Amino acid sequence: MKIAVLTGGGDCPGLNAVIRAVVRRGEQHGLEVMGVHEGWRGLMDPPLHDRLTREATSGILHLGGTILGTSRTNPFKKPGGSEMVIKNLKGLNVGAVVAIGGEDTLGVATKLSTMGVNVVGVPKTIDNDLSGTDLTFGFDTAVQIATEAIDRLHSTAESHNRVIVCEVMGRHAGWIATHSGIAGGADVILIPEKPIEIENVCEHIQRRHRSRGVNFSIVVVAEGAKLGGSEARIAEKLDEFGHIRLGGIGQQIAELIEKKTGFETRSTVLGHIQRGGSPTAFDRVLGTRFGVHAADMVARGEWARMAALRGNEIVSVPLAEATAKLKTVPPEFFAVAEVFFG
Ligand code: F6P
């Protein structure tokens, strides 16, 4: 059978590890693997693809980004778009699609599967907000990068007696903020799951400075954290999945902290640095396990399901379950971070 593999949505460290594993395991199952370029865009007109072989995917395990390219194309947003995808898959003689993506890419996969397309999903996102899996690949790398940045911000904050607000990614969920904040010893962490109460933030900082006799603090804020009921936006224009471009909450918080406490405050936005570059060893292994498992699922004809991590096992879960709702940070886990506030 010929299968297609594609990567959609924001890029993510570990994508190439998954692609390589799907190809290597796929070939062992006698599958012919076609790489689709630029996510779902590559299955619309004109289709963009090439053959993926062991040779073509050799030497990519450690590389960031995706050799296939990616896009936020939503076939369901274009008139006749999903029918075009199905027609192209038939025309290319593709029997199944391995879709590597987050809520949007796998949401499209879920819908296509109800229209008769054989799909297997692989959970990707640095945000770690997909349900059905304990972890997505790429998250560990993003947390590592953010933690290293927080360590660096600590030394400059301390030297200058400043508060520094570090804005990390996390559109709907504060997984990166919570993990990197705990690992980096943040004094306050702000996440989308909990509306920001600026008076509390200032109280934590003032108490810390008073009781510990220090004049520096680190605040970690997820880009999607809400102040006064709404997120900070860079642009109002929606992408094809209905998302606005977030950004700027760190600066807003920094200005308020300085105004209310009198402490000199700066903000830093980590942005796409969290997504770029080499995956950690953990993400290379997780991506490889997901890819091998996805190829096995294809060989078994396990359609409309996603490879997932449960405990230390890779299992398969219904795609519909994985995309039904986002996985947010549970209050009991966030409570561990809160122990260290102030
Ligand atoms: O991949 C998810 C994510 O990292 C979100 O946290 C963030 O809002 C979004 O991607 C930004 O992606 P882009 O700049 O590619 O639109």
Side-chain angles (χ1 to χ4, degrees), residues 10-11 72 125-127 169-171 223 245-246 272 275:
D11 71 339
R72 294 194 187 274
T125 165
I126 64 162
D127 289 357
M169 279 190 172
R171 176 177 284 279
E223 61 178 349
R245 267 181 72 198
L246 298 177
H272 296 87
R275 255 168 43 185

Side-chain angles (χ1 to χ4, degrees), residues 94-158:
V94 169
V97 179
V98 175
I100 311 170
E103 48 155 339
D104 299 329
T105 305
L106 297 186
V108 170
T110 309
K111 283 193 203 160
L112 286 172
S113 72
T114 64
M115 297 168 75
V117 179
N118 295 331
V119 194
V120 164
V122 175
K124 166 239 72 160
T125 165
I126 64 162
D127 289 357
N128 194 39
D129 57 1
L130 260 178
S131 293
T133 183
D134 291 352
L135 289 174
T136 53
F137 74 86
F139 172 62
D140 183 69
T141 307
V143 169
Q144 185 63 33
I145 293 167
T147 302
E148 282 166 19
I150 294 166
D151 287 348
R152 288 174 189 277
L153 291 174
H154 255 114
S155 65
T156 177
E158 184 165 9

Side-chain angles (χ1 to χ4, degrees), residues 6 10 20 23 28 33 38 40 56 80 119 154 185 187 191 210 225 227 236-237 259 299 323 328 341-342:
L6 63 83
R20 170 179 172 269
V23 171
Q28 288 172 4
V33 186
E38 298 179 20
W40 295 114
V119 194
H154 255 114
D187 305 300
I191 59 174
R210 249 194 338 265
L227 184 65
E236 291 301 320
K237 195 170 166 270
K259 196 164 143 217
T323 53
T328 51
F341 286 10

Side-chain angles (χ1 to χ4, degrees), residues 23-24 27 52-60:
V23 171
R24 283 289 280 274
E27 286 186 348
L52 288 181
T53 57
R54 177 177 177 161
E55 291 69 38
T57 53
S58 159
I60 65 168

Side-chain angles (χ1 to χ4, degrees), residues 142-308:
V143 169
Q144 185 63 33
I145 293 167
T147 302
E148 282 166 19
I150 294 166
D151 287 348
R152 288 174 189 277
L153 291 174
H154 255 114
S155 65
T156 177
E158 184 165 9
S159 303
H160 285 268
N161 291 328
R162 281 174 178 158
V163 176
I164 297 190
V165 180
C166 178
E167 180 180 315
V168 299
M169 279 190 172
R171 176 177 284 279
H172 308 289
W175 289 105
I176 298 177
T178 307
H179 276 249
S180 64
I182 292 174
D187 305 300
V188 178
I189 301 170
L190 303 167
I191 59 174
E193 291 85 340
K194 237 185 150 177
I196 299 171
E197 291 179 33
I198 196 67
E199 300 301 337
N200 279 353
V201 174
C202 293
E203 248 175 67
H204 283 313
I205 295 170
Q206 279 163 328
R207 193 177 62 242
R208 167 181 147 81
H209 289 207
R210 249 194 338 265
S211 65
R212 292 219 32 235
V214 295
N215 283 316
F216 71 97
S217 286
I218 299 290
V219 176
V220 176
V221 60
E223 61 178 349
K226 294 178 200 71
L227 184 65
S230 60
E231 306 113 333
R233 296 146 183 230
I234 285 180
E236 291 301 320
K237 195 170 166 270
L238 301 179
D239 70 14
E240 291 188 12
F241 289 93
H243 305 306
I244 41 159
R245 267 181 72 198
L246 298 177
I249 188 67
Q251 181 58 25
Q252 283 185 13
I253 297 290
E255 283 169 21
L256 287 170
I257 292 172
E258 183 163 301
K259 196 164 143 217
K260 287 177 186 287
T261 65
F263 298 130
E264 192 183 5
T265 307
R266 294 281 197 272
S267 75
T268 297
V269 182
L270 297 188
H272 296 87
I273 289 169
Q274 294 158 97
R275 255 168 43 185
S278 248
T280 56
F282 181 88
D283 278 333
R284 295 181 202 191
V285 174
L286 184 60
T288 299
R289 293 178 77 195
F290 279 154
V292 166
H293 204 85
D296 288 348
M297 287 161 70
V298 170
R300 288 195 296 264
E302 263 181 60
W303 309 129
R305 297 181 73 83
M306 179 184 86

